[in-house]
């Protein structure tokens, strides 16, 4: 049964009961109708940025002319670019610190930990909204927060007090039943979801978890699941906020932040799947996609040369305690290297106080700092043709820093089992063989709370006096022109399906330091796909890119739009887009077009000369393939606001000119 009622002057369609997603969206809706597929805008309570996307986000924020952030809370984290091989990353950190001081932003210093883990511990609030310039922002769904990953510009706009514009998602329910068996854990649940739904399965949807088994999962477990929900292409993932959430927040000294949020009994979901936890086995995502999932036992015995434990997916107190218990009194297999990066200073301190860190060191683990590290190719690249087993969330080809290495994504239990045996191993068999008793890790009554590595905002009067520190690595933002009435040029590149933003704009220790310098970083666009791309694009003054399905999945990095734009890319024509990348293309004035008839993908080749009529963007658009003498109909999912931005050459120019005129 449906009825309509007004919220903020807008008519909202309501089903009888509401699910968690609908409740939070309804509370934050400022524009549009809560109907899947409609364009809506929501109020953003909190924002987060990290250093690899943050420099660009704050350069953009500066152009908006706002004196202080207008959110309830904004945090700037330094966790990605912590390998300082020259001045660049260190310069970026100082820029970020001075920006935070000037604009009333919390600053989480390098060493304090990975943004998503720290945010969960210290800042996330159930029922609120969070926009983060990192695709794993949905981690906070583990405590019932509606947390969405976006490009830096969208986060900058939210800091300036503007709502976040998005497509109202469908809600897909994952009902969890039964009980996990020993040595099977939360990571295996999300790997099973990925196996069933694929890396495209969450596009346009929020994944909402429910069912009797939810109460058996700790906040750390839930956060592992919502974190890796990013790999489904989902808008976000969310759990209810219940007594487990309350106990977690209390143990973090933040009991007052707790509110209960549960789905109404008679609520409805657009789609649903059921997972029986008692039937789950330890799972593994094989190279080179997070949905290439099989049971670990299928790969039993495969020789492993590296094991890496950490990342925002699996580096909590719970995860590292499990690993320490398995390693206790044993030695890491001589055929591999074991790397461990704790998720936050809090986790690091607690495992060092209780001896678990010493246990890992004794077993031969190489302990890294509390940061993203190997997950984003910042050191610890595997050997040639290496087999690296990781507790991370992404295994895209080349992301580890070694092009021909194979990355296998697993739970901490499986990772520790592999570290002991030197081969892919089911932790149940290893535990049995070595006589390790299953023992659940209980939540500490009180976590070690010390926010001394967070610099809190100062008074507006003091902030005013702060000078922004701009080292030579901070290059000014390029200007982009309004969209002309027609676009012409050649097809610079034609790609297949599931192209990631790591393919478009690679990261890693060599390239990440250039994140605040668009002219410099643009030299690496599509480096792993086609090394000649940047020079070809510049030689012919830009052109078009043709792609397959799910183009731009993965990281939220807006550099995957700004840098191609800088090289002259005018439009990207694909079978389908990933959400964040499409928004980033619009923000920087690259036309995101979709084949109306998917088979037309075969009618365009690299090198063909195209002409696109852009005089009218409302409705279908005609692409003339001058080389082949054919006409192709393409479409798009831009709403009226997007079209206005696109015509102005992108959102930044539009927003900055609005700010200047007001
Ligand atoms: C990632 O996991 O790919 C990153 C690095 O955290 C990115 C952000 C970035 O590219 O800086 C993400 O997930 O959005
Ligand atoms: Fe950092 Fe990896 Fe998490 Fe991205 S996925 S935020 S690089 S730990």
């Amino acid at each position: 049964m449906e009825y309509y009622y007004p919220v903020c002057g807008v008519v909202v369609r309501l089903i009888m009961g509401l699910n968690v997603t609908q409740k939070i969206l309804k509370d934050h809706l400022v524009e549009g109708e809560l109907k899947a597929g409609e364009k809506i805008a929501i109020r953003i309570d909190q924002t987060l940025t990290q250093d690899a996307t943050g420099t660009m986000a704050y350069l953009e924020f500066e152009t908006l002319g706002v004196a202080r952030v207008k959110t309830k809370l904004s945090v700037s984290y330094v966790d990605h670019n912590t390998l300082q091989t020259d001045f660049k990353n260190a310069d970026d950190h100082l820029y970020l610190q001075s920006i935070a001081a000037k604009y009333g932003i919390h600053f989480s210093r390098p060493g304090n930990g990975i943004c998503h883990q720290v945010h969960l511990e210290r800042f996330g609030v159930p029922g609120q909204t969070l926009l983060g310039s990192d695709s794993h922002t949905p981690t906070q769904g583990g405590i019932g927060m509606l947390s969405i990953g976006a490009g830096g510009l969208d986060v900058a706009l939210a800091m300036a007090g503007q709502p976040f514009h998005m497509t109202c998602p469908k809600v897909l329910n994952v009902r969890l039943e039964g009980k996990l068996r020993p040595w099977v854990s939360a990571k295996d649940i999300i790997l099973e979801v990925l196996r069933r739904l694929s890396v495209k399965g969450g596009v346009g949807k929020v994944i909402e978890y429910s069912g009797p088994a939810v109460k058996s999962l700790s906040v750390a477990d839930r956060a592992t699941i919502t974190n890796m929900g990013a790999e489904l292409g989902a808008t976000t993932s969310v759990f209810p906020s219940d007594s487990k959430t309350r106990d977690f927040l209390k143990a973090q000294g933040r009991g007052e932040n707790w509110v209960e949020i549960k789905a109404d009994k008679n609520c409805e979901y657009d789609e649903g799947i059921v997972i029986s936890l008692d039937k789950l086995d330890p799972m593994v995502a094989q190279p080179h996609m997070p949905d290439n999932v099989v049971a670990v036992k299928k790969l039993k015995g495969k020789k492993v040369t590296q094991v890496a434990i950490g990342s925002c997916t699996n580096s909590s107190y719970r995860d590292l305690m499990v690993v320490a218990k398995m390693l206790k009194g044993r030695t890491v297999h001589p055929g591999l290297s074991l790397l461990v990066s704790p998720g936050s200073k809090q986790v690091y301190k607690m495992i060092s106080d209780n001896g678990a860190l010493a246990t890992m060191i004794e077993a031969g683990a190489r302990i890294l700092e509390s940061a993203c590290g190997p997950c984003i190719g910042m050191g610890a690249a595997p050997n040639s043709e290496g087999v690296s087993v990781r507790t991370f969330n992404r295994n895209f080809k080349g992301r580890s820093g070694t092009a021909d290495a194979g990355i296998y994504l697993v739970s901490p239990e499986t990772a520790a089992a592999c570290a002991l045996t030197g081969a892919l191993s089911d932790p149940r068999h290893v535990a049995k063989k070595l006589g390790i008793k299953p023992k659940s890790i209980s939540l500490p009554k009180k976590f070690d709370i010390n926010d001394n590595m967070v610099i809190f905002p100062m008074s507006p009067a003091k902030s005013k006096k702060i000078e922004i520190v701009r080292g030579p690595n901070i290059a000014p933002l390029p200007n982009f022109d309004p969209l002309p009435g027609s676009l012409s040029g050649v097809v610079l590149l034609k790609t297949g399906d599931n192209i990631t933003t790591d393919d478009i704009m690679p990261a890693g220790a060599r390239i990440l330091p250039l994140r605040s310098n668009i002219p410099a970083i643009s030299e690496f666009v599509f480096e792993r796909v086609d090394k000649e791309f940047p020079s070809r694009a510049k030689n012919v003054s830009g052109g078009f890119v043709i792609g397959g399905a799910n183009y731009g999945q993965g990281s939220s990095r807006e550099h995957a739009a700004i840098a191609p734009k800088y090289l002259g890319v005018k439009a990207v024509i694909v079978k389908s887009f990933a959400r964040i990348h499409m928004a980033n293309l619009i923000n920087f004035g690259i036309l995101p077009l979709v084949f109306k008839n998917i088979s037309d993908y075969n009618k365009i080749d690299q090198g063909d000369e195209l002409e696109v009529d852009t005089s009218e963007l409302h409705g279908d658009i005609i692409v003339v393939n001058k080389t082949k003498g054919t006409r192709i109909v393409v479409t798009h999912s831009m709403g009226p606001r997007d079209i206005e931005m696109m015509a102005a050459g992108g959102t930044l120019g539009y927003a900055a000119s609005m700010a200047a005129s007001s």
Side-chain angles (χ1 to χ4, degrees), residues 50 79-80 114-116 134-136 227 231 310-313 371-377 392-394 399 557:
Q50 39 87 342
D79 53 0
H80 282 62
I114 306 175
C115 53
H116 309 301
D134 190 283
S135 61
H136 292 103
N227 171 283
E231 274 51 70
S311 91
C312 54
T313 319
C372 300
C375 177
I376 191 58
F392 305 171
N393 48 35
R394 289 189 172 144
R399 181 177 157 104
R557 61 192 71 153

Side-chain angles (χ1 to χ4, degrees), residues 178-452:
K179 196 170 177 302
L180 286 171
R181 290 178 289 178
W183 307 109
V184 185
S185 66
K187 183 65 157 283
D188 302 309
I189 302 179
I190 186 62
L191 287 172
E192 170 66 8
V193 177
L194 273 154
R195 190 185 71 80
R196 293 213 209 163
L197 300 180
S198 89
V199 290
K200 300 193 271 291
V203 176
K205 298 169 198 169
V206 171
I207 314 296
E208 182 169 322
Y209 290 84
S210 75
V214 164
K215 59 177 183 307
S216 68
L217 299 176
S218 69
V219 163
D221 296 332
R222 297 174 190 185
T224 293
I225 294 171
T226 52
N227 171 283
M228 208 173 168
E231 274 51 70
L232 295 161
T235 303
T236 189
S237 301
V238 72
F239 273 84
S241 167
D242 58 10
S243 59
K244 276 264 158 71
T245 323
R246 185 193 56 213
D247 295 347
F248 172 79
L249 289 172
K250 267 193 182 162
Q252 288 288 352
R254 306 200 288 123
E256 73 285 357
N257 287 153
W258 182 73
V259 282
E260 182 176 47
I261 305 173
K262 56 177 185 189
D264 293 331
K265 281 223 167 66
N266 57 347
C267 75
E268 285 179 11
Y269 295 99
D270 297 292
E271 293 168 28
I273 59 169
V274 179
I275 299 186
S276 302
L277 300 191
D278 30 21
K279 296 208 180 89
L280 269 192
D281 285 328
M283 309 296 275
V284 49
Q286 311 172 89
H288 297 285
M289 276 295 146
D291 61 357
N292 190 10
V293 174
V294 292
V296 174
K297 62 187 176 207
K298 288 228 164 101
L299 303 184
K300 189 175 160 225
K302 188 177 179 60
K303 195 169 165 282
V304 173
T305 55
Q306 183 189 62
V307 173
I309 296 173
S311 91
C312 54
T313 319
N314 279 120
S315 59
S316 65
Y317 174 81
R318 179 259 166 217
D319 290 339
L320 298 195
M321 288 305 292
V322 170
V323 171
K325 287 212 169 355
M326 293 179 72
L327 296 183
K328 195 166 174 64
R330 302 182 173 87
T331 301
V332 168
H333 191 276
L336 57 77
S337 230
L338 167 66
L339 300 135
V340 178
S341 11
S344 67
K345 178 176 79 100
Q346 184 182 79
V347 173
Y348 220 144
K349 170 79 169 29
M350 289 179 71
I351 60 168
S352 60
D353 283 349
N354 71 10
L357 184 62
T359 300
M360 290 194 257
I361 295 171
E362 204 159 30
R366 297 165 60 185
I367 312 293
L368 306 178
E369 68 174 319
S370 179
C372 300
C375 177
I376 191 58
M378 274 293 191
N383 57 301
S384 296
E385 295 177 22
V387 173
S388 178
V389 168
R390 301 177 163 206
T391 64
F392 305 171
N393 48 35
R394 289 189 172 144
N395 58 352
F396 304 146
K397 195 168 170 39
R399 181 177 157 104
S400 66
T402 304
D404 58 8
I407 308 297
Y408 294 75
L409 307 173
V410 299
S411 70
E413 288 83 345
T414 303
C418 299
L420 291 172
T421 60
L424 260 153
S425 320
D426 187 320
R428 294 173 298 195
H429 303 157
V430 175
K432 197 167 168 203
K433 202 162 146 213
L434 301 180
I436 312 173
K437 295 257 167 314
K439 198 165 176 280
S440 67
I441 306 295
S442 53
L443 176 88
K445 284 269 169 300
K446 197 140 192 68
F447 287 95
D448 186 275
I449 300 161
N450 181 354
D451 292 325
N452 62 338

